Amino acid sequence: MKLTKFTHACVRLEQDGRVLVFDPGTFSETDQALSGAHAVLITHEHADHVDVDAVAAALQSNTALELFAPEAVAATLRGKAPEAGSRIHAAAAGEEFETSGFAVRTYGGQHALIHPQIPVVANVGYLVDGNVYHPGDSFAIPDGVEVKTLLVPIHAPWNKVGEVVDFVIGVRAPQAFPIHDALLNELGRGLVEGHVTRIGAKYGTEYRHLSSGDSVEV
């Protein structure tokens, strides 16, 4: 499976001519990420994870495209692209489904707390083919499975470095790559990734930096 990172939280998976995209948001290169996609998984409703206009346009122009998202996101997109309504599906934690040949399991349920005065929204983490786990804006650890490839939210208004490290330790995937990093400068990135790399290695996780546009086989 080929994994390509785009800016911030957007990741593209390609396997046997099939393409799945996580979280094409407003910080990301959505047109490039969605080109030729067969399935889109949206973790939650925040704009840095879903560019509503770009995704609606993709659903309208690509009649093979299927989308899964929490109900609030799905409802918004049905309103924007009503002709694609049958291809827009609500997703919640604790489900299993298949889309375009990819097997998906869902975890979590809600966004991490930013502040008590900021409402908590639904957030769904997705594990694809028992391999790649995208938690969205949460540190929900999948139960009953061994994650092979972990996507790590290394910086956000809702996290701190110790929580990032504990998430990597808790999942203990053999390999991990960054997401949710658009707001970091190089100094901040080096600090966070240094801790994740060093401490994660003690628990069997090889963390590797990816820049936007980089691809790896997973």
Side-chain angles (χ1 to χ4, degrees), residues 111-167:
H111 192 287
L113 180 67
I114 301 172
H115 187 272
Q117 295 188 45
I118 299 176
V120 174
V121 301
N123 181 95
V124 176
Y126 299 97
L127 177 66
V128 175
D129 283 355
N131 182 354
V132 179
Y133 179 55
H134 192 309
D137 279 9
S138 81
F139 289 135
I141 296 176
D143 58 282
V145 296
E146 294 184 1
V147 175
K148 298 176 183 177
T149 304
L150 177 63
L151 302 176
V152 184
I154 63 170
H155 176 263
W158 48 269
N159 75 26
K160 62 182 182 180
V161 174
E163 295 171 334
V164 177
V165 172
D166 283 345
F167 178 59

Coordinates of all heavy atoms in Angstrom, one line a residue, residues 111-167:
H111 N -14.3 14.3 19.6 CA -13.1 15.1 19.4 C -12.5 15.3 20.8 O -13.2 15.4 21.8 CB -13.5 16.4 18.9 CG -12.4 17.3 18.4 ND1 -11.6 18.0 19.3 CD2 -12.0 17.7 17.1 CE1 -10.7 18.7 18.6 NE2 -11.0 18.5 17.3
A112 N -11.2 15.4 20.9 CA -10.5 15.7 22.1 C -10.9 17.1 22.6 O -11.2 18.0 21.8 CB -9.0 15.7 21.9
L113 N -10.9 17.2 23.9 CA -11.3 18.5 24.5 C -10.3 19.6 24.3 O -9.1 19.4 24.5 CB -11.5 18.3 26.0 CG -11.9 19.6 26.8 CD1 -13.4 20.0 26.4 CD2 -11.8 19.3 28.3
I114 N -10.8 20.7 23.7 CA -9.9 21.9 23.5 C -10.0 22.8 24.7 O -9.0 23.2 25.3 CB -10.3 22.6 22.2 CG1 -10.2 21.7 21.0 CG2 -9.5 23.9 22.1 CD1 -10.8 22.3 19.7
H115 N -11.3 23.1 25.1 CA -11.6 23.9 26.3 C -13.0 23.7 26.7 O -13.9 23.5 25.8 CB -11.3 25.4 25.9 CG -11.5 26.3 27.1 ND1 -12.7 26.8 27.5 CD2 -10.5 26.8 28.0 CE1 -12.5 27.6 28.6 NE2 -11.2 27.6 28.9
P116 N -13.4 23.8 28.0 CA -14.7 23.5 28.4 C -15.8 24.4 27.7 O -16.9 24.1 27.6 CB -14.7 23.7 29.9 CG -13.3 23.4 30.3 CD -12.4 23.9 29.1
Q117 N -15.3 25.6 27.2 CA -16.3 26.5 26.6 C -16.4 26.3 25.1 O -17.1 27.0 24.4 CB -15.9 28.0 26.9 CG -16.0 28.3 28.4 CD -15.8 29.8 28.6 OE1 -16.4 30.6 27.9 NE2 -15.0 30.1 29.7
I118 N -15.6 25.3 24.6 CA -15.7 25.0 23.1 C -16.4 23.7 23.0 O -15.9 22.7 23.6 CB -14.2 24.9 22.5 CG1 -13.6 26.3 22.6 CG2 -14.3 24.5 21.1 CD1 -12.1 26.3 22.2
P119 N -17.5 23.6 22.3 CA -18.2 22.4 22.2 C -17.4 21.2 21.6 O -16.6 21.4 20.7 CB -19.4 22.7 21.2 CG -19.5 24.2 21.3 CD -18.1 24.7 21.5
V120 N -17.6 20.0 22.1 CA -17.0 18.8 21.6 C -17.8 18.2 20.5 O -19.1 18.1 20.7 CB -16.8 17.8 22.8 CG1 -16.3 16.5 22.2 CG2 -15.9 18.3 23.9
V121 N -17.2 18.0 19.4 CA -17.9 17.4 18.2 C -17.6 15.9 18.1 O -16.6 15.4 18.6 CB -17.6 18.2 16.9 CG1 -18.0 19.7 17.1 CG2 -16.1 18.0 16.6
A122 N -18.4 15.3 17.2 CA -18.1 13.9 16.9 C -16.8 13.7 16.2 O -16.5 14.6 15.3 CB -19.3 13.3 16.1
N123 N -16.1 12.7 16.5 CA -14.8 12.4 15.8 C -14.7 10.9 15.6 O -14.8 10.2 16.6 CB -13.6 12.9 16.6 CG -12.3 12.7 15.9 OD1 -11.8 13.5 15.2 ND2 -11.7 11.5 16.1
V124 N -14.4 10.4 14.4 CA -14.3 9.0 14.2 C -12.9 8.7 13.7 O -12.4 9.3 12.7 CB -15.3 8.5 13.1 CG1 -15.1 7.0 12.8 CG2 -16.7 8.8 13.6
G125 N -12.2 7.8 14.4 CA -10.9 7.3 13.9 C -11.1 6.1 13.0 O -12.0 5.2 13.2
Y126 N -10.3 5.9 12.0 CA -10.5 4.9 11.0 C -9.2 4.0 10.9 O -8.1 4.5 10.7 CB -10.7 5.5 9.6 CG -12.0 6.3 9.5 CD1 -11.9 7.7 9.6 CD2 -13.3 5.7 9.3 CE1 -13.1 8.5 9.5 CE2 -14.4 6.5 9.2 CZ -14.3 7.9 9.3 OH -15.4 8.6 9.1
L127 N -9.4 2.7 10.9 CA -8.3 1.7 10.7 C -8.6 1.1 9.4 O -9.7 0.4 9.2 CB -8.3 0.7 11.8 CG -7.3 -0.4 11.6 CD1 -5.8 0.1 11.7 CD2 -7.5 -1.5 12.7
V128 N -7.7 1.2 8.4 CA -7.9 0.7 7.0 C -7.1 -0.6 6.8 O -5.9 -0.6 7.0 CB -7.6 1.8 6.0 CG1 -7.7 1.2 4.6 CG2 -8.5 3.0 6.2
D129 N -7.8 -1.6 6.4 CA -7.1 -2.9 6.1 C -6.3 -3.4 7.2 O -5.2 -4.1 7.0 CB -6.3 -2.8 4.8 CG -7.1 -2.8 3.5 OD1 -8.3 -3.0 3.6 OD2 -6.5 -2.6 2.4
G130 N -6.7 -3.2 8.4 CA -5.9 -3.6 9.6 C -4.5 -3.1 9.6 O -3.7 -3.6 10.4
N131 N -4.3 -2.0 8.9 CA -2.9 -1.5 8.7 C -2.8 0.0 9.2 O -2.1 0.3 10.2 CB -2.5 -1.6 7.3 CG -1.1 -1.2 7.0 OD1 -0.4 -0.6 7.8 ND2 -0.7 -1.4 5.7
V132 N -3.4 0.9 8.5 CA -3.2 2.3 8.7 C -4.3 2.9 9.6 O -5.5 2.8 9.3 CB -3.2 3.1 7.4 CG1 -3.0 4.6 7.6 CG2 -2.0 2.6 6.5
Y133 N -3.9 3.5 10.7 CA -4.9 4.1 11.6 C -4.8 5.6 11.6 O -3.7 6.2 12.0 CB -4.7 3.6 13.0 CG -5.7 4.1 14.1 CD1 -7.1 4.1 13.9 CD2 -5.2 4.8 15.2 CE1 -7.9 4.6 14.8 CE2 -6.1 5.3 16.2 CZ -7.4 5.2 16.0 OH -8.3 5.7 16.9
H134 N -5.9 6.3 11.3 CA -6.0 7.8 11.4 C -6.9 8.1 12.5 O -8.1 7.9 12.4 CB -6.5 8.3 10.0 CG -6.3 9.8 9.9 ND1 -6.8 10.7 10.8 CD2 -5.8 10.6 8.9 CE1 -6.6 11.9 10.4 NE2 -5.9 11.9 9.2
P135 N -6.5 8.7 13.6 CA -7.4 9.0 14.7 C -8.1 10.3 14.7 O -9.0 10.5 15.5 CB -6.4 9.0 15.9 CG -5.1 9.7 15.3 CD -5.1 9.1 13.9
G136 N -7.9 11.1 13.6 CA -8.5 12.4 13.6 C -8.0 13.2 14.8 O -6.8 13.1 15.1
D137 N -8.8 14.0 15.4 CA -8.4 14.8 16.5 C -8.8 14.1 17.8 O -9.7 14.5 18.6 CB -9.1 16.2 16.4 CG -8.4 17.2 15.5 OD1 -7.5 16.7 14.7 OD2 -8.8 18.3 15.4
S138 N -8.1 13.0 18.0 CA -8.3 12.3 19.3 C -7.0 11.4 19.5 O -6.2 11.2 18.6 CB -9.5 11.4 19.2 OG -9.3 10.2 18.5
F139 N -7.0 10.9 20.7 CA -5.9 9.9 21.0 C -6.6 8.6 21.4 O -6.2 7.8 22.2 CB -5.1 10.4 22.2 CG -4.1 11.5 21.8 CD1 -4.0 12.6 22.7 CD2 -3.4 11.4 20.7 CE1 -3.1 13.6 22.4 CE2 -2.5 12.5 20.4 CZ -2.4 13.5 21.2
A140 N -7.7 8.3 20.7 CA -8.4 7.0 20.9 C -7.6 5.9 20.4 O -7.1 5.8 19.3 CB -9.8 7.0 20.2
I141 N -7.3 4.9 21.3 CA -6.5 3.7 20.9 C -7.4 2.6 20.5 O -8.3 2.2 21.3 CB -5.6 3.3 22.1 CG1 -4.7 4.5 22.5 CG2 -4.9 2.0 21.9 CD1 -3.8 4.2 23.7
P142 N -7.2 2.0 19.3 CA -8.0 0.9 18.9 C -7.9 -0.3 19.8 O -6.8 -0.6 20.2 CB -7.5 0.6 17.5 CG -6.8 1.9 17.0 CD -6.3 2.5 18.3
D143 N -9.0 -0.9 20.1 CA -9.0 -2.1 20.9 C -9.1 -3.4 20.1 O -9.8 -3.3 19.0 CB -10.1 -2.1 22.0 CG -11.5 -1.9 21.3 OD1 -11.8 -0.8 20.9 OD2 -12.2 -2.9 21.3
G144 N -8.5 -4.5 20.5 CA -8.7 -5.7 19.8 C -8.0 -5.9 18.5 O -8.2 -6.9 17.8
V145 N -7.1 -5.0 18.2 CA -6.3 -5.1 16.9 C -4.9 -4.6 17.2 O -4.6 -4.0 18.2 CB -6.9 -4.2 15.8 CG1 -8.3 -4.7 15.4 CG2 -6.9 -2.8 16.2
E146 N -4.0 -5.0 16.3 CA -2.6 -4.5 16.4 C -2.4 -3.6 15.1 O -2.4 -4.1 14.0 CB -1.6 -5.7 16.3 CG -1.7 -6.6 17.6 CD -0.6 -7.7 17.6 OE1 0.2 -7.7 16.6 OE2 -0.6 -8.4 18.6
V147 N -2.3 -2.4 15.4 CA -2.1 -1.4 14.3 C -0.7 -1.5 13.8 O 0.2 -1.6 14.5 CB -2.4 0.1 14.9 CG1 -2.0 1.1 13.8 CG2 -3.8 0.2 15.4
K148 N -0.6 -1.5 12.5 CA 0.7 -1.6 11.8 C 1.3 -0.3 11.5 O 2.5 -0.1 11.6 CB 0.6 -2.4 10.5 CG 0.1 -3.9 10.8 CD -0.1 -4.6 9.4 CE -0.6 -6.0 9.6 NZ -0.9 -6.7 8.3
T149 N 0.5 0.7 11.1 CA 1.0 2.0 10.7 C 0.1 3.1 11.4 O -1.1 3.1 11.2 CB 0.9 2.2 9.2 OG1 1.6 1.1 8.6 CG2 1.4 3.5 8.8
L150 N 0.7 3.9 12.3 CA 0.0 4.9 13.1 C 0.3 6.3 12.5 O 1.4 6.6 12.3 CB 0.5 4.8 14.5 CG -0.2 5.9 15.5 CD1 -1.7 5.7 15.6 CD2 0.5 5.8 16.8
L151 N -0.8 7.0 12.3 CA -0.7 8.4 11.9 C -0.8 9.2 13.2 O -1.9 9.1 13.9 CB -1.8 8.8 10.9 CG -1.7 8.0 9.6 CD1 -2.8 8.3 8.6 CD2 -0.3 8.2 8.9
V152 N 0.2 10.0 13.5 CA 0.3 10.7 14.8 C 0.0 12.2 14.7 O 0.7 12.9 14.1 CB 1.7 10.5 15.4 CG1 1.8 11.1 16.8 CG2 2.1 9.0 15.4
P153 N -1.1 12.7 15.4 CA -1.3 14.1 15.5 C -0.3 14.8 16.4 O -0.4 14.7 17.6 CB -2.7 14.2 16.1 CG -3.3 12.8 16.2 CD -2.1 11.9 16.2
I154 N 0.8 15.3 15.8 CA 1.9 15.7 16.6 C 1.7 17.1 17.2 O 2.5 17.5 18.1 CB 3.2 15.6 15.9 CG1 3.3 16.5 14.7 CG2 3.5 14.2 15.5 CD1 4.6 16.6 14.0
H155 N 0.8 17.9 16.7 CA 0.6 19.2 17.3 C -0.9 19.7 17.1 O -1.4 19.5 16.0 CB 1.5 20.2 16.7 CG 1.3 21.6 17.2 ND1 0.6 22.5 16.5 CD2 1.7 22.3 18.3 CE1 0.5 23.7 17.1 NE2 1.2 23.5 18.2
A156 N -1.5 20.2 18.1 CA -2.9 20.7 18.0 C -3.2 21.6 19.2 O -2.5 21.5 20.2 CB -3.8 19.5 17.9
P157 N -4.3 22.4 19.1 CA -4.7 23.2 20.2 C -5.2 22.3 21.4 O -5.3 22.8 22.5 CB -5.9 24.0 19.7 CG -5.6 24.1 18.2 CD -5.0 22.8 17.8
W158 N -5.4 21.0 21.1 CA -6.0 20.1 22.1 C -5.0 19.2 22.7 O -5.3 18.3 23.5 CB -7.2 19.4 21.6 CG -6.9 18.7 20.2 CD1 -7.1 19.3 19.0 CD2 -6.3 17.5 20.0 NE1 -6.7 18.4 18.0 CE2 -6.2 17.3 18.5 CE3 -5.9 16.4 20.8 CZ2 -5.7 16.2 17.9 CZ3 -5.4 15.3 20.2 CH2 -5.3 15.2 18.8
N159 N -3.7 19.2 22.3 CA -2.7 18.2 22.8 C -1.5 18.9 23.4 O -1.2 20.1 23.2 CB -2.4 17.2 21.8 CG -1.5 17.6 20.7 OD1 -0.7 18.5 20.8 ND2 -1.6 16.9 19.5
K160 N -0.7 18.1 24.1 CA 0.6 18.5 24.5 C 1.6 17.3 24.2 O 1.2 16.2 23.9 CB 0.6 18.8 26.0 CG 0.3 17.7 26.9 CD 0.3 18.2 28.4 CE 0.0 17.0 29.3 NZ -0.1 17.5 30.7
V161 N 2.9 17.6 24.3 CA 3.9 16.6 23.8 C 3.8 15.3 24.6 O 3.8 14.2 24.0 CB 5.3 17.2 23.9 CG1 6.3 16.2 23.6 CG2 5.5 18.4 23.0
G162 N 3.6 15.4 25.9 CA 3.5 14.2 26.7 C 2.3 13.3 26.2 O 2.4 12.1 26.2
E163 N 1.2 13.9 25.9 CA 0.1 13.1 25.4 C 0.3 12.5 24.0 O -0.1 11.4 23.8 CB -1.2 14.0 25.3 CG -1.6 14.5 26.7 CD -2.7 15.6 26.5 OE1 -2.8 16.3 25.5 OE2 -3.5 15.7 27.5
V164 N 1.1 13.2 23.2 CA 1.4 12.6 21.9 C 2.3 11.4 22.1 O 2.1 10.3 21.5 CB 2.2 13.7 21.0 CG1 2.7 13.0 19.7 CG2 1.3 14.9 20.8
V165 N 3.3 11.5 23.0 CA 4.2 10.4 23.3 C 3.4 9.2 23.9 O 3.6 8.1 23.5 CB 5.3 10.8 24.2 CG1 6.1 9.6 24.7 CG2 6.2 11.8 23.5
D166 N 2.5 9.5 24.8 CA 1.7 8.4 25.4 C 0.8 7.7 24.4 O 0.6 6.5 24.5 CB 0.9 9.0 26.6 CG 1.7 9.2 27.8 OD1 2.9 8.7 27.9 OD2 1.2 10.0 28.7
F167 N 0.3 8.5 23.4 CA -0.5 7.9 22.4 C 0.3 6.9 21.6 O -0.1 5.7 21.3 CB -1.1 9.0 21.5 CG -1.9 8.5 20.3 CD1 -3.0 7.7 20.5 CD2 -1.5 8.8 19.0 CE1 -3.8 7.3 19.4 CE2 -2.3 8.4 17.9 CZ -3.4 7.6 18.1

